[in-house]
Amino acid sequence: MASAWERKRHCSHVEKAAAFLPRLLSEDSPKSEIQTVHGVLLFADISGFTALTEKFIQRSGTDRGTDELAQTLNYYLCDILEEMLIFGGDILKFAGDAVLVLWRTPPQELAKTISLVLQCSWQIQKKCGSRGTHVGQKVHLKIGISAGSMSLLTVGDRRRQYFLICGQVLGEVCEAEQLANAGEVILSATCWELCEQHRLRTKRLAGKRAVKVTGMDRMSWSERQDALRKLVQHSVSHCLEGEGATRPAFLLPSGRDVDEVLRKYVPEAALRKIYDSMPLGLLSELRPVTSLFIQLRLAEDNRTANLYRIVHSASRMMLEILCPHKGKINKVLLFDKGCTFLCVFGLTGEKLPYESLHALQSAMQIFNSCSTMLREIGAVSVAVTSGTVFCGVTGHPVRYEYTVIGQKVNLAARMMVHYPGLVSCDAVTYAASQLPPCYFKELPEREMKGLRHPGTVYQYVGVTEESIFGMALTKKRSEHVPLLGREKEIDLFVSCLKAYKALGQRHILAFEGPMGSGKSHLLTELAYLGQAAGHRVVAMELLEVNMRQSFSAIRTLMARALGLQDCELCSDRQRMLQTKLRGTIEESSFCLLNDVFLVEFPVSDKVREMCEAQRKMELHSTWAKVLEKTIGGEIGIFVIDNAHFIDPASWSIMAPMLRNVSLFMVVSLAPGYMRTESFCKAAAGNTTSQKITYLHLDELKPSAVVQKVCQDLGVVSISRDLARFLIARSSGIPYYCEELLRCLRCNDMLLFRTRRRGEKAEDSWENLITSAVEASPLAAASSSSAGNDGRVCIIRPDVNLENTVLPATLKESPSQPGGSAGKVAPVQAETGLGLRAAVFPSWAWTSREPAGCFPTASLVACDSNGSGAVLKTPTLGCDYPAEIALAQLDRIKPLGQMVLKFAAVIGPVFTTQLLSHMLPAGVRHKMNCVLNALVSDNILKRLKNTEVPEDVRGPTKGPATSLQAESGVERPPLSKTTVEQQPGVLAFCVPLLQEAAYELWPERQRVALHCKCAAFLEQHAHKCKSCSQGDFVAFHRFAVTSTQDGGSCQGPAAQGDSRSWEDLVLAGEQLKRDRTHATEGSLQARWERESSSYPGVRKEVMPVYSVLSSSPGNCPLTSVAGRFLAKSEQTTELPSKTDGKHNGACQCKAIVESVLVPLARHYMAMGDAARAFYYLLECAAAYLHVSNGYMALMKLNEAEVLRNSVEKTENAIARFEEATFFSLKGEVCCHMGRLKLAKKMIRKALSLLKRQFPQTSVGAFVKSQVEKFPCAAYVARRASSLPQEARRKRLAWLLRQSCCLSLLEHLFSLEGTSSGQTFSRLAARMKANTDRAADSYRAADSRRR
């Protein structure tokens, strides 16, 4: 029987939302915080769940393994809940792999109800007691049952409320479940006393009052119905399929009260989507989140009222702490582990930067508050983990919950138990927090049930004295290589420093740039230059955590200036301050330093008598004296990295000081912070602009990126593809480039070779690919070939960087240089079809900053005289790296998020027709409105086409072409969409947003969407009209019928029309520009210049025969070759499925980018190797058709890797596909000037096509005699006798043979030898016979119609 999740159900918004609640709450909301309930409790726990999680992760990786785990658990849990609902159970609580169910009944009916519950349990154990999985791990079910009276508690505040069951019954049912083994049902002692014992066969447990049920006399149908009628429930019911099961309806109050009740209990993330008419399946996502498990160990003898007070106070306090950082309490559980809270940061719509840091700070606040406020708590344990989890709906379609499932959730639950009484975190959270090691303490490794390799566990200790006084610059300056691309900034520093030294002019240099732009490296370099010039430099780095610590910035700065960082004790700091500042400030003023330096000078009478305003003025005066003393009349430089993290208390002191004290300060700032805006305003102000220079750090130029990569890799040059990838993905941000390289190297995706001039490589396909990639290297201008041994770096041939995956460990964490981001190990992913894809840091897809997010401010730069001048007024704060892509996505309304997620499956550029085809029918009418809003918010951008002449705008209605008539393929009628759409092409403004949105899809939904997308694009997978349409591999679709007829994408897809074709052309042109013009300026020009030196790898390769004729030793083109080229173009024509516009210009270049390449990607994502191979061949043929030999080579290389990865089954890759593969290889070899290898490939193709070509002169003579025998009549009779499908398949084979023989004829004619001429004549004769056979099949096809 199909799972309940697969059945079609139509529910209202209220019904969907109310399914998050048990009947106990939906029937009548609790009228008081404590309510007594009578009934039978069942606690079912799935054993082996943690081990199953580990199996899935090991087998499929973090993301896919988490998705498979959630899907497996959901279907298993759904089957269990189906039986419970059939028997009248009320699902109270979900706890990951466990569920708590209530049968509410009057006390006098407990015995009958226990029998009903037992019969339900036996039926569940019979059907679901043990279940295998495809990873080889079995899961089992354990059930405990208890009965009696219990209390329903409602805790929380006015906005959010949570319910839980407590009492002796709960304790007994938890104990019974713990006593159960796999497949067993245990009754508690109380339940045994209350039940109908005569029905049961039981076994006593040694030393326990609970009993194990070994059998029972089943209730009759009438007894069971009678027991169901006596349950406390309303009569109105929803019917469940199966055994006539019922789910009592929800009797919620009407009007606004419904929304009020639902908002109190239903998670906001789910409720928003439901009210936006989203299908239930779209509520689930794979998201990187941070999970907190909080356990309060409570005394066993706590009274209900006292227990309520403790949990209620704790929940309110947690909500106050979590709310500012958008953390949510997902569950409150009162099971065997005491009172447990599961809190989550980063749920849908709630993502913020610095999530892991906020989670750790919240965890420490909760830990301290619970420890001090609630004395009745025996111990508080908090565990924090970060990673990708399943966030979505689990349970049954009529009763489910919104929760998180995954390895990291399991790990947090285990850590909470095994590391009690402290705040613990995993290694990912430790790294993502960006905090220095002094905030943590490594904990001893402990064995945790079900977890083989939990990794290092740390204790978060919070702020320490070392963290208060010891924050120096963390970046280390390299003594061997210069700082690239920052010459302008260094020159500005030197000139301002000279003016300060010569004239005593105070000055502040403020460098603003996004995280990773090299601010820390620049400040380290400037600090070194200042020290080298003989100046005293006081340098420090601030962190986000410093913003919440009063006087943190000023304390750290002055402590380092005064040397307090080496003083461990308070008394030592007091003595140091008195020594350094005696005579500078009055003795009565030392007490003003208490709060700043954590000292305990006695408060003087003078200070005690001051009012608040006087004390503030005195404090500022004291700080000015301290600063003047610290500088000591000498030239000093203050360097503050991440000055945007200056706390408000420090800023109140520093702001006046910066205006009045003569000093030289260098600071770095990130956009989007209040402090950054303050510096901007000060730089633009009339009174301070002469003293503050504000400079935006531009991205590195492409040439500087190449130089940096060569420096970091220790090579003299890198390949063109590697350079393009790094320049495009890093956007000129140095740190991103470094991390991209680190991930590539750790995943073994780079090859290093020593360049040897004049060395002749073996003539093989692998060496051809290597030579093509190495042929156009980009060298670092400053690199020394002698020092680097002439090494070059390229991408491995089996690596496909297009199929990139954002890692869960870094997706949500700030990748700020200098922190602990480097601690996270890179990940390598398999595409499932043999192609390796890089798993890159989430910030690797940075784009330009969208406008409109933060106020603008003037940027000021210093001229030669040191005066300030306004340069430009960019928008602040939005040029953030990709670690906040999810945060940006979550700021969008749910409907907009959904549209972006669907568009992300299509790709970075998409058409509105394709998007409408993929969207659920219920939201298509809102698509245009949503897209317009996304465009206005600079999330998407519209691509505009050039004006189309009036006479070609409409669809062509003329007769079919002659070749259409010959092939007998009719054009499908134009589609008429039912919903009016605004046609057009859109693209993501920030490519990273597309990557992040795509990865939110669970695997099954993602594959289904790839299937829908492929079904639409296949309608347009052919040549343009100016090229007579048709497959790029002649009659390809007819030769491989299994690929076209038996695939997984045959479903409803709108037939193509002329407008859809035009939009796909426009999309393809944009994709081509993105691929070939990923960079701007000198580097792109350099690529063009250098590629002209390597004719074999030019971006636009000349036709094959032009290349051959220009090669050394080759003769000019003959008329035969010209006829071959013309005829081969004609034989590849095939009638199309759609109408395309015809304006005389070839549009195939765009179609290959927007249709064929995406089709290969979609089928790879679906795991369909045969279709992926089919479209990779189409891509290669298309690139050859548009004279782009280099891209044809790359696509054939992908096909080679895919072909090698596919198991050698009979139908894995069709014989015709194999032949086409080698035939296209031969054509590419011709483009690359490898004539010998081309002959080898063509011979192999002919062999697979069952048309052997001889190797020797004797064989050629014999073959030529055979070819003289007439066989036209036989061929004509055979063609007439075959059915249409077989005839067209044979025609495809003949056309491919003709193409191969034409190429061989030409290749041998170029040799200029007698044997070459012999083979050339033989190839021409064989081709003529093949063409006559093809004509016979065409004629037979025409007669049949």
Side-chain angles (χ1 to χ4, degrees):
M1 189 175 85
S3 169
W5 285 109
E6 297 172 356
R7 303 174 196 154
K8 296 290 184 182
R9 298 184 69 252
H10 302 282
C11 302
S12 67
H13 298 337
V14 174
E15 285 179 311
K16 287 181 181 179
F20 285 99
L21 306 179
R23 286 200 309 268
L24 191 61
L25 292 181
S26 61
E27 288 174 356
D28 53 325
S29 299
K31 297 178 176 57
S32 62
E33 292 82 3
I34 305 174
Q35 187 173 327
T36 301
V37 178
H38 300 279
V40 181
L41 270 184
L42 181 148
F43 187 24
D45 183 39
I46 301 172
S47 64
F49 176 70
T50 305
L52 178 66
T53 304
E54 295 295 302
K55 284 270 190 179
F56 274 120
I57 299 299
Q58 290 172 12
R59 179 181 180 272
S60 305
T62 302
D63 288 4
R64 188 173 178 183
T66 301
D67 183 32
E68 291 176 351
L69 169 72
Q71 182 177 312
T72 301
L73 174 66
N74 218 12
Y75 275 82
Y76 185 35
L77 199 57
C78 183
D79 293 342
I80 295 170
L81 297 181
E82 178 95 349
E83 296 298 326
M84 294 176 175
L85 291 167
I86 286 172
F87 280 85
D90 185 14
I91 316 301
L92 286 184
K93 285 280 186 180
F94 295 86
D97 58 345
V99 62
L100 185 66
V101 189
L102 171 67
W103 277 260
R104 192 177 179 189
T105 185
Q108 64 272 17
E109 297 296 333
L110 280 174
K112 285 286 185 185
T113 306
I114 292 171
S115 298
L116 180 69
V117 176
L118 275 170
Q119 186 162 328
C120 173
S121 302
W122 274 109
Q123 193 150 323
I124 291 172
Q125 290 290 22
K126 181 181 178 181
K127 292 183 178 181
C128 315
S130 180
R131 181 167 293 186
T133 61
H134 65 276
V135 294
Q137 176 70 39
K138 277 194 171 185
V139 290
H140 308 277
L141 191 65
K142 305 188 301 178
I143 295 178
I145 302 174
S146 185
S149 63
M150 61 206 83
S151 298
L152 172 67
L153 307 183
T154 305
V155 300
D157 57 19
R158 58 182 179 83
R159 295 168 299 171
R160 292 290 301 154
Q161 291 188 350
Y162 309 89
F163 70 93
L164 57 158
I165 293 291
C166 68
Q168 181 182 345
V169 177
L170 180 67
E172 289 182 351
V173 78
C174 290
E175 182 185 6
E177 181 275 326
Q178 289 176 344
L179 293 173
N181 294 320
E184 292 182 349
V185 179
I186 303 294
L187 289 181
S188 70
T190 304
C191 193
W192 170 245
E193 293 172 1
L194 294 172
C195 72
E196 297 177 324
Q197 298 184 7
H198 63 278
R199 286 182 178 273
L200 309 181
R201 293 181 292 279
T202 61
K203 181 180 179 180
R204 288 282 182 181
L205 300 178
K208 302 292 181 181
R209 296 175 58 203
V211 298
K212 179 172 74 173
V213 180
T214 59
M216 72 172 295
D217 297 331
R218 295 173 61 87
M219 302 175 73
S220 65
W221 185 86
S222 60
E223 287 179 315
R224 177 177 152 186
Q225 293 302 310
D226 182 60
L228 283 171
R229 281 193 296 269
K230 291 179 180 178
L231 293 177
V232 179
Q233 62 184 31
H234 289 277
S235 58
V236 183
S237 302
H238 289 306
C239 291
L240 294 177
E241 297 180 22
E243 303 183 19
T246 59
R247 158 74 159 138
F250 308 104
L251 300 185
L252 291 169
S254 59
R256 296 184 206 169
D257 294 339
V258 177
D259 188 61
E260 228 175 89
V261 171
L262 292 176
R263 287 189 184 280
K264 283 183 178 179
Y265 294 101
V266 181
E268 291 178 42
L271 201 59
R272 282 196 300 264
K273 292 187 175 183
I274 288 174
Y275 281 178
D276 273 339
S277 304
M278 286 195 189
L280 196 61
L282 297 185
L283 267 63
S284 301
E285 295 177 336
L286 291 176
R287 293 181 67 88
V289 304
T290 302
S291 306
L292 272 72
F293 261 102
I294 305 162
Q295 183 187 66
L296 309 181
R297 278 289 179 188
L298 306 173
E300 295 183 3
D301 57 348
N302 261 318
R303 290 172 168 260
T304 301
N306 194 40
L307 184 64
Y308 165 77
R309 184 182 60 81
I310 294 172
V311 178
H312 182 63
S313 301
S315 62
R316 289 173 62 90
M317 175 266 298
M318 290 178 195
L319 287 171
E320 290 179 5
I321 293 173
L322 298 172
C323 186
H325 308 301
K326 294 193 175 182
K328 301 295 179 184
I329 298 178
N330 183 254
K331 332 182 133 95
V332 184
L333 306 171
L334 198 60
F335 286 163
D336 55 320
K337 299 181 179 73
C339 187
T340 303
F341 295 81
L342 171 57
C343 309
V344 185
F345 289 80
L347 289 174
T348 303
E350 310 292 348
K351 199 75 175 175
L352 288 178
Y354 299 102
E355 180 181 283
S356 297
L357 176 59
H358 295 156
L360 286 172
Q361 293 174 335
S362 300
M364 183 59 74
Q365 282 183 269
I366 292 171
F367 179 83
N368 293 333
S369 298
C370 288
S371 301
T372 56
M373 291 172 53
L374 306 172
R375 302 297 181 185
E376 297 86 347
I377 298 176
V380 182
S381 306
V382 186
V384 187
T385 58
S386 301
T388 297
V389 301
F390 172 86
C391 302
V393 172
T394 61
H396 189 280
V398 298
R399 176 67 178 100
Y400 41 73
E401 72 159 354
Y402 185 85
T403 189
V404 290
I405 298 172
Q407 182 195 36
K408 289 297 183 178
V409 182
N410 296 347
L411 177 59
R414 299 295 187 203
M415 287 166 49
M416 174 189 69
V417 176
H418 289 84
Y419 296 95
L422 49 85
V423 178
S424 59
C425 70
D426 67 335
V428 177
T429 307
Y430 164 75
S433 69
Q434 301 293 319
L435 292 173
C438 59
Y439 282 78
F440 300 90
K441 176 184 177 182
E442 187 172 335
L443 294 172
E445 184 177 348
R446 293 179 183 173
E447 186 176 346
M448 301 185 218
K449 181 182 175 183
L451 298 174
R452 294 184 180 179
H453 306 290
T456 307
V457 179
Y458 297 88
Q459 178 186 359
Y460 177 65
V461 296
V463 179
T464 62
E465 288 190 358
E466 181 182 355
S467 65
I468 292 175
F469 298 112
M471 293 301 298
L473 292 180
T474 56
K475 284 295 178 185
K476 303 299 180 185
R477 179 182 180 273
S478 174
E479 299 179 0
H480 306 289
V481 294
L483 184 64
L484 296 173
R486 299 303 179 202
E487 293 79 8
K488 178 180 67 175
E489 291 80 5
I490 293 175
D491 291 343
L492 177 63
F493 169 80
V494 172
S495 63
C496 291
L497 185 60
K498 286 181 180 178
Y500 176 56
K501 182 178 181 180
L503 306 175
Q505 295 177 352
R506 65 177 183 272
H507 210 93
I508 298 176
L509 276 178
F511 297 103
E512 180 260 330
M515 291 180 291
S517 58
K519 301 187 300 293
S520 298
H521 279 292
L522 175 61
L523 263 62
T524 301
E525 181 72 15
L526 299 183
Y528 170 79
L529 294 176
Q531 288 178 335
H535 306 305
R536 184 187 180 196
V537 177
V538 178
M540 57 173 283
E541 178 186 14
L542 294 177
L543 303 172
E544 202 270 350
V545 69
N546 297 122
M547 293 181 68
R548 293 169 180 79
Q549 301 170 10
S550 296
F551 302 107
S552 175
I554 194 71
R555 173 174 57 229
T556 305
L557 180 65
M558 299 312 301
R560 298 196 65 79
L562 297 170
L564 298 181
Q565 67 271 20
D566 299 323
C567 301
E568 297 183 0
L569 302 177
C570 173
S571 57
D572 295 336
R573 290 194 294 274
Q574 288 187 194
R575 283 193 296 272
M576 179 67 74
L577 287 171
Q578 289 174 328
T579 302
K580 294 277 187 178
L581 302 178
R582 183 172 287 115
T584 302
I585 62 175
E586 300 175 4
E587 289 291 333
S588 59
S589 299
F590 273 100
C591 60
L592 295 172
L593 306 178
N594 286 350
D595 292 336
V596 179
F597 293 120
L598 305 184
V599 289
E600 299 175 353
F601 288 110
V603 180
S604 63
D605 295 337
K606 177 182 177 182
V607 172
R608 188 180 294 111
E609 294 173 358
M610 290 180 181
C611 64
E612 187 63 29
Q614 292 175 327
R615 184 175 297 188
K616 189 174 182 179
M617 291 178 58
E618 184 67 21
L619 181 62
H620 290 167
S621 174
T622 301
W623 272 114
K625 295 175 183 177
V626 170
L627 184 61
E628 187 177 354
K629 172 64 177 180
T630 302
I631 300 300
E634 59 182 320
I635 300 300
I637 304 171
F638 281 1
V639 179
I640 305 178
D641 193 12
N642 296 328
H644 49 278
F645 289 142
I646 297 176
D647 59 282
S650 296
W651 184 249
S652 67
I653 297 174
M654 293 177 68
M657 182 182 68
L658 297 179
R659 291 193 295 266
N660 301 320
V661 177
S662 179
L663 54 78
F664 189 81
M665 180 177 287
V666 183
V667 300
S668 69
L669 301 161
Y673 289 88
M674 185 183 302
R675 206 65 64 224
T676 303
E677 187 176 347
S678 299
F679 273 98
C680 271
K681 290 180 177 178
N686 294 328
T687 59
T688 57
S689 60
Q690 303 294 322
K691 306 168 186 176
I692 301 178
T693 299
Y694 194 101
L695 188 66
H696 178 80
L697 291 184
D698 295 326
E699 298 86 355
L700 293 181
K701 294 180 180 178
S703 57
V705 172
V706 174
Q707 291 179 16
K708 177 174 177 55
V709 172
C710 290
Q711 277 186 2
D712 294 345
L713 295 177
V715 298
V716 296
S717 64
I718 59 176
S719 67
R720 178 179 62 179
D721 286 344
L722 178 58
R724 178 188 289 123
F725 173 79
L726 292 173
I727 292 169
R729 291 295 190 258
S730 69
S731 295
I733 305 298
Y735 180 64
Y736 307 161
C737 186
E738 293 170 7
E739 289 301 309
L740 285 168
L741 278 178
R742 182 179 65 85
C743 288
L744 288 172
R745 297 193 71 173
C746 292
N747 287 286
D748 193 25
M749 294 182 177
L750 299 179
L751 281 179
F752 295 88
R753 297 182 181 275
T754 302
R755 183 186 296 171
R756 296 183 177 91
R757 297 293 183 185
E759 181 182 0
K760 188 174 181 180
E762 181 186 354
D763 197 13
S764 66
W765 178 255
E766 291 75 15
N767 287 332
L768 175 64
I769 294 173
T770 302
S771 62
V773 174
E774 291 181 348
S776 182
L778 296 176
S782 59
S783 299
S784 171
S785 58
N788 291 323
D789 299 325
R791 290 204 311 163
V792 297
C793 178
I794 63 173
I795 301 172
R796 291 180 65 92
D798 60 341
V799 171
N800 183 5
L801 295 181
E802 294 178 5
N803 300 326
T804 52
V805 180
L806 298 180
T809 52
L810 292 178
K811 192 183 302 181
E812 79 283 9
S813 60
S815 302
Q816 183 177 345
S820 308
K823 303 169 189 172
V824 181
V827 183
Q828 180 172 314
E830 293 285 343
T831 63
L833 294 176
L835 292 175
R836 291 195 297 166
V839 179
F840 295 105
S842 58
W843 28 256
W845 282 259
T846 308
S847 183
R848 303 292 182 188
E849 55 188 14
C853 296
F854 291 85
T856 59
S858 298
L859 302 189
V860 181
C862 189
D863 59 18
S864 57
N865 298 323
S867 61
V870 176
L871 296 179
K872 52 184 178 178
T873 57
T875 301
L876 291 179
C878 296
D879 196 11
Y880 276 176
E883 74 274 359
I884 60 170
L886 278 180
Q888 182 181 2
L889 189 65
D890 281 348
R891 287 196 293 267
I892 303 169
K893 292 182 179 180
L895 199 57
Q897 289 184 38
M898 184 186 70
V899 170
L900 288 177
K901 285 171 62 180
F902 276 93
V905 177
I906 303 173
V909 180
F910 59 93
T911 68
T912 53
Q913 292 94 333
L914 178 50
L915 180 61
S916 176
H917 169 69
M918 296 180 66
L919 285 173
V923 297
R924 286 177 189 165
H925 65 284
K926 303 178 183 178
M927 184 188 75
N928 289 333
C929 181
V930 173
L931 290 178
N932 290 335
L934 293 172
V935 170
S936 65
D937 291 339
N938 292 320
I939 304 298
L940 299 175
K941 59 183 177 182
R942 291 192 182 274
L943 305 181
K944 296 182 179 179
N945 200 354
T946 55
E947 190 66 27
V948 182
E950 196 70 37
D951 57 343
V952 297
R953 288 182 182 175
T956 304
K957 298 182 180 179
T961 62
S962 59
L963 201 60
Q964 287 174 329
E966 289 179 10
S967 64
V969 180
E970 296 183 1
R971 189 190 316 275
L974 300 181
S975 63
K976 294 183 179 180
T977 54
T978 57
V979 179
E980 282 193 22
Q981 304 169 14
Q982 182 179 346
V985 182
L986 295 99
F988 284 83
C989 293
V990 182
L992 168 63
L993 201 61
Q994 182 248 333
E995 299 282 346
Y998 175 79
E999 290 184 24
L1000 292 175
W1001 285 108
E1003 182 72 14
R1004 172 173 287 196
Q1005 295 177 4
R1006 187 185 301 175
V1007 169
L1009 291 174
H1010 279 295
C1011 183
K1012 288 190 72 174
C1013 196
F1016 180 92
L1017 290 176
E1018 281 183 334
Q1019 309 299 319
H1020 307 273
H1022 55 80
K1023 293 181 182 179
C1024 67
K1025 190 167 184 178
S1026 63
C1027 297
S1028 301
Q1029 305 179 331
D1031 291 337
F1032 289 93
V1033 175
F1035 279 71
H1036 197 177
R1037 72 191 69 180
F1038 302 113
V1040 193
T1041 53
S1042 61
T1043 300
Q1044 290 300 321
D1045 298 336
S1048 58
C1049 282
Q1050 297 304 313
Q1055 300 293 337
D1057 56 23
S1058 61
R1059 183 67 204 186
S1060 180
W1061 175 270
E1062 292 173 12
D1063 288 345
L1064 285 170
V1065 170
L1066 179 58
E1069 291 170 352
Q1070 179 65 32
L1071 288 167
K1072 185 174 182 294
R1073 282 193 295 271
D1074 291 343
R1075 177 174 59 80
T1076 58
H1077 301 285
T1079 59
E1080 300 175 358
S1082 60
L1083 185 58
Q1084 181 65 22
R1086 183 178 179 183
W1087 285 351
E1088 300 296 340
R1089 291 197 306 270
E1090 291 188 355
S1091 61
S1092 63
S1093 304
Y1094 301 91
V1097 290
R1098 282 192 295 243
K1099 185 174 63 179
E1100 295 297 335
V1101 183
M1102 294 159 44
V1104 55
Y1105 301 104
S1106 299
V1107 174
L1108 289 174
S1109 65
S1110 62
S1111 301
N1114 289 341
C1115 63
L1117 278 177
T1118 62
S1119 58
V1120 175
R1123 288 197 301 272
F1124 156 72
L1125 180 59
K1127 193 161 187 177
S1128 65
E1129 286 296 313
Q1130 293 174 2
T1131 58
T1132 57
E1133 297 170 356
L1134 184 71
S1136 73
K1137 302 177 182 180
T1138 66
D1139 239 348
K1141 70 175 185 178
H1142 177 46
N1143 57 7
C1146 178
Q1147 299 167 336
C1148 294
K1149 290 181 182 179
I1151 289 301
V1152 67
E1153 301 289 350
S1154 63
V1155 177
L1156 298 181
V1157 172
L1159 275 170
R1161 175 174 58 85
H1162 289 311
Y1163 282 116
M1164 282 191 195
M1166 293 159 56
D1168 191 335
R1171 290 194 170 207
F1173 193 80
Y1174 175 95
Y1175 282 108
L1176 283 173
L1177 294 183
E1178 281 288 305
C1179 288
Y1183 279 122
L1184 286 171
H1185 175 73
V1186 298
S1187 301
N1188 192 339
Y1190 180 79
M1191 286 306 299
L1193 176 68
M1194 293 299 101
K1195 290 304 170 185
L1196 287 174
N1197 180 50
E1198 289 183 37
E1200 173 89 9
V1201 176
L1202 177 60
R1203 174 175 170 268
N1204 294 336
S1205 68
V1206 175
E1207 295 181 1
K1208 300 299 181 181
T1209 57
E1210 292 184 7
N1211 299 320
I1213 295 178
R1215 187 184 183 97
F1216 179 82
E1217 298 274 80
E1218 287 271 354
T1220 303
F1221 175 60
F1222 284 102
S1223 172
L1224 293 173
K1225 274 187 171 183
E1227 293 186 47
V1228 170
C1229 290
C1230 288
H1231 276 257
M1232 309 296 287
R1234 300 291 184 92
L1235 306 188
K1236 183 178 179 181
L1237 185 59
K1239 294 174 188 175
K1240 178 181 176 181
M1241 294 298 174
I1242 296 298
R1243 287 177 186 272
K1244 177 68 173 176
L1246 285 170
S1247 175
L1248 290 167
L1249 292 168
K1250 301 178 182 180
R1251 194 86 160 102
Q1252 298 288 344
F1253 194 84
Q1255 299 278 352
T1256 63
S1257 298
V1258 175
F1261 174 77
V1262 174
K1263 184 70 174 176
S1264 64
Q1265 299 304 312
V1266 173
E1267 291 292 327
K1268 291 180 181 179
F1269 289 106
C1271 57
Y1274 168 75
V1275 172
R1277 286 195 303 272
R1278 178 173 173 78
S1280 300
S1281 64
L1282 290 176
Q1284 186 185 59
E1285 181 179 347
R1287 190 167 53 249
R1288 290 181 174 179
K1289 183 173 183 179
R1290 180 59 184 162
L1291 181 58
W1293 283 60
L1294 291 171
L1295 292 175
R1296 183 49 45 184
Q1297 290 174 7
S1298 178
C1299 182
C1300 292
L1301 291 168
S1302 297
L1303 192 56
L1304 275 183
E1305 175 192 359
H1306 179 71
L1307 290 174
F1308 281 111
S1309 70
L1310 295 177
E1311 288 186 0
T1313 62
S1314 58
S1315 62
Q1317 295 302 317
T1318 300
F1319 283 112
S1320 178
R1321 287 192 295 271
L1322 173 61
R1325 178 167 295 175
M1326 293 175 66
K1327 179 186 180 300
N1329 290 337
T1330 302
D1331 289 345
R1332 281 193 290 271
D1335 292 340
S1336 298
Y1337 277 87
R1338 284 197 185 96
D1341 199 40
S1342 299
R1343 287 194 299 271
R1344 283 298 178 92
R1345 288 199 304 275

